[in-house]
Amino acid sequence: MARSSQGLRRVSPGVLQGPTQVPGVLRIGRPANDNFRPRSAALRVVLLALAAAALLIAAVNWLS
């Protein structure tokens, strides 16, 4: 391994204790949760109707 002709290089204390910047929050582009879409009212009605029909069929089968 090649050695430097300057001897040992020492890091000055100012380099180690220099001012550090705290990175801020960068908001670039789309938000991470943009794939959430609320369900439409029509879909809720259809799902509620299917659930009610399933309960009605179960109740009729249980009573007979």
Side-chain angles (χ1 to χ4, degrees):
M1 197 160 99
R3 292 187 179 197
S4 172
S5 62
Q6 301 292 324
L8 293 175
R9 298 182 69 188
R10 295 184 185 210
V11 178
S12 64
V15 173
L16 294 176
Q17 298 175 357
T20 59
Q21 291 183 342
V22 177
V25 177
L26 299 177
R27 296 176 190 249
I28 299 173
R30 300 182 308 172
N33 61 350
D34 66 343
N35 56 357
F36 174 74
R37 294 181 187 166
R39 292 185 177 153
S40 66
L43 181 62
R44 286 186 199 157
V45 169
V46 169
L47 291 177
L48 186 62
L50 288 174
L55 285 175
L56 185 63
I57 291 172
V60 167
N61 284 333
W62 181 64
L63 290 175
S64 59

